Amino acid sequence: MAAAQGYPLLCLENPLLDIQGVGDDDLLKQYDIKANDAILAEDKHMGLYEDLLQNRDAKLIAGGAAQNTARGAQYILPENSVVYIGCVGKDKYADILTDACKKAGVYTEYRVDDVQPTGKCGVVITGHNRSMVTHLAAANEYKPEHLQQPNVWSLVEKAQVYYVGGYHLTVSVPAILLLAEEAVSKNKTFIFSLSAPFIPQFFKDQLDSVVPYTDYLIGNETEALTYAENHGWGITDITEIAKKLATLPKKNAQRPRVAIVTQGTLPTVTAVAKADGSVEVKEYPVHEIAKEKINDTNGAGDAFAGGFTAGIVQGKTLDESVDLGQWLASLSIQELGPSYPFPKQTYARK
Ligand code: 26A
């Protein structure tokens, strides 16, 4: 069994159940949220979840950014390739998440909190925008001690690639650093996402402590712009920002830093910092699909990261990995929420 040999890809972050419904400007105004954003819930947002369920015919869908990425990577990789770690409660929502991962073939090693309920994310869809309001609850109770238990740490040791969602910076930097140190000391691959503008904005120090460990740093254009702004770079050109992200200080000199910036329907930009000090930049037009085929864009970035990471795990080139990411994102936006089509589609290179 693969479990004995371990899983090549290990993902860590916040397991959440998405409560997703279609909204309008009034709903956005009522809860004081932007059409396209991801935030942590405050008191004024707590009524949103019931509101979505009672009045907006909201659906319960497995979410949590890196958990979506884990399911996405497993969609492409051979059986038993992915393990996902995070903290859930003891409730029905946790059962839904466990089930979704099981169906996707992702092995979960959850910490189960006795007190807090499973985290949830209210997703308000308006057109091609999505606004996410997250109540972390149990997801916020993840502890590095869970990772250090012998049975869990053995999964860490057996993994070759780590994928950590930047959202976890709000929960446990020490847990992230345990994986990051393991990656550097054994020359394994460490992939990290910027997750949302509020991460570089409000969790700058935490982010700065992790970035030196990253081999692949993934973000979208708003996250990249927010990063540049909050680091006082004074630049707004996405290619220039990607170049600068690639050349930030790096712990593991044996691997080049690669920055990847997605831009919705605009081309994906990559920047690779070469050993000679130069930076190689490339642009990849996205896989276009007809507008009317789009269901919603919730999880598009996670799907990109899932396809991309599957490519890296399989030792594919940067070109191929970006293409896999774009392909999986185009499939996911045709589904309800952060999901992937079944029966499985097969990838054919553009
Ligand atoms: C800490 N926060 C805010 C979050 C999230 C999150 N996943 C982890 N931590 N806020 C939203 N999400 C997830 O992002 C996915 C879409 O990219 C949602 O659950 C949604 O499935």
Side-chain angles (χ1 to χ4, degrees):
M1 267 298 287
Q5 295 150 18
Y7 302 86
L9 173 62
L10 185 144
C11 306
L12 168 76
E13 208 207 36
N14 315 322
L16 303 174
L17 191 73
D18 287 358
I19 300 177
Q20 176 174 322
V22 175
D24 50 28
D25 285 346
D26 286 345
L27 189 69
L28 298 176
K29 216 180 268 159
Q30 183 185 343
Y31 290 99
D32 193 20
I33 54 180
K34 293 185 209 153
N36 209 18
D37 206 1
I39 58 167
L40 291 167
E42 297 166 35
D43 287 346
K44 65 182 179 192
H45 301 122
M46 290 306 174
L48 173 66
Y49 307 96
E50 265 315 293
D51 203 345
L52 282 168
L53 286 168
Q54 300 298 329
N55 309 317
R56 304 276 170 171
D57 191 26
K59 303 283 181 283
L60 301 180
I61 316 164
Q67 190 166 233
N68 302 334
T69 296
R71 286 187 290 106
Q74 183 60 66
Y75 190 84
I76 291 167
L77 292 168
E79 269 179 45
N80 294 314
S81 288
V82 185
V83 54
Y84 174 80
I85 296 177
C87 187
V88 294
K90 270 188 183 158
D91 48 28
K92 266 208 290 214
Y93 281 8
D95 295 342
I96 297 177
L97 296 185
T98 309
D99 229 49
C101 282
K102 219 181 200 163
K103 281 202 182 108
V106 171
Y107 177 74
T108 50
E109 188 63 65
Y110 292 134
R111 173 178 186 268
V112 181
D113 194 75
D114 289 330
V115 181
Q116 292 292 326
T118 298
K120 56 193 177 186
C121 177
V123 185
V124 180
I125 303 292
T126 51
H128 289 164
N129 290 321
R130 92 282 181 267
S131 190
M132 305 193 286
V133 182
T134 294
H135 181 43
L136 281 169
N140 208 19
E141 300 300 321
Y142 190 76
K143 311 275 180 241
E145 292 75 27
H146 175 264
L147 214 46
Q148 288 169 311
Q149 297 171 108
N151 62 316
V152 184
W153 192 252
S154 125
L155 294 168
V156 173
E157 284 184 318
K158 286 171 185 157
Q160 295 304 313
V161 178
Y162 304 102
Y163 179 92
V164 180
Y167 282 128
H168 206 68
L169 290 172
T170 74
V171 174
S172 178
V173 175
I176 299 173
L177 289 177
L178 282 173
L179 298 182
E181 285 287 354
E182 168 74 9
V184 167
S185 64
K186 310 257 176 75
N187 191 23
K188 297 178 184 179
T189 305
F190 190 76
I191 309 177
F192 193 76
S193 77
L194 293 173
S195 291
F198 86 83
I199 295 294
Q201 195 176 1
F202 299 120
F203 292 83
K204 179 174 176 285
D205 293 347
Q206 292 90 330
L207 180 57
D208 290 347
S209 72
V210 172
V211 163
Y213 292 90
T214 59
D215 298 307
Y216 296 92
L217 188 55
I218 306 178
N220 68 22
E221 72 279 44
T222 9
E223 292 150 15
L225 282 166
T226 314
Y227 187 105
E229 191 184 330
N230 282 272
H231 286 77
W233 286 357
I235 48 173
T236 52
D237 181 83
I238 295 296
T239 303
E240 289 309 312
I241 296 172
K243 278 166 97 171
K244 239 173 131 76
L245 287 172
T247 49
L248 287 172
K250 190 168 189 301
K251 295 256 184 197
N252 183 359
Q254 295 184 69
R255 293 175 186 277
R257 155 96 38 58
V258 184
I260 303 109
V261 184
T262 61
Q263 316 188 74
T265 53
L266 295 175
T268 303
V269 176
T270 63
V272 183
K274 301 274 179 194
D276 65 5
S278 66
V279 185
E280 190 182 27
V281 175
K282 268 185 138 178
E283 286 194 8
Y284 304 83
V286 300
H287 291 222
E288 265 182 62
I289 57 165
K291 269 217 151 77
E292 61 273 13
K293 278 189 164 178
I294 299 179
N295 195 327
D296 64 71
T297 57
N298 179 18
D302 307 335
F304 173 84
F308 179 82
T309 300
I312 298 301
V313 169
Q314 291 181 307
K316 295 198 186 292
T317 63
L318 184 60
D319 288 5
E320 289 174 305
S321 300
V322 169
D323 199 56
L324 269 167
Q326 294 184 342
W327 172 75
L328 198 62
S330 78
L331 291 190
S332 176
I333 61 179
Q334 297 177 62
E335 302 295 308
L336 181 72
S339 312
Y340 308 99
F342 280 93
K344 277 193 187 185
Q345 313 264 321
T346 36
Y347 166 76
R349 232 196 134 187
K350 241 191 334 192

